[in-house]
Amino acid sequence: MSHDLSLAQSHAFQLSRDLMVPVTVFAVDGEYGVLPSDEIDASDDLEVIHEFHPWAAH
């Protein structure tokens, strides 16, 4: 978890490219985290910030 959104987004973008899977940046209690998108459940209490797709141009 990080308090720096730009750092979390940078890590998410790189993780998406390395793993070649969609990766989601989310917020919980004022902190940002990154997970592969398929590991996030609809019942999780997360605020989704952005989803990075490895095949999309950024």
Side-chain angles (χ1 to χ4, degrees):
M1 300 290 280
S2 172
H3 291 285
D4 184 348
L5 178 57
S6 63
L7 179 63
Q9 288 176 320
S10 175
H11 285 289
F13 177 75
Q14 190 59 51
L15 184 61
S16 176
R17 294 294 177 134
D18 288 346
L19 298 178
M20 293 306 292
V21 298
V23 173
T24 300
V25 177
F26 61 90
V28 173
D29 297 331
E31 294 186 68
Y32 302 101
V34 175
L35 279 174
S37 298
D38 65 353
E39 292 186 21
I40 296 175
D41 294 324
S43 63
D44 292 339
D45 189 22
L46 305 175
E47 176 188 349
V48 173
I49 304 297
H50 187 74
E51 186 174 38
F52 289 92
H53 296 271
W55 51 86
H58 289 277

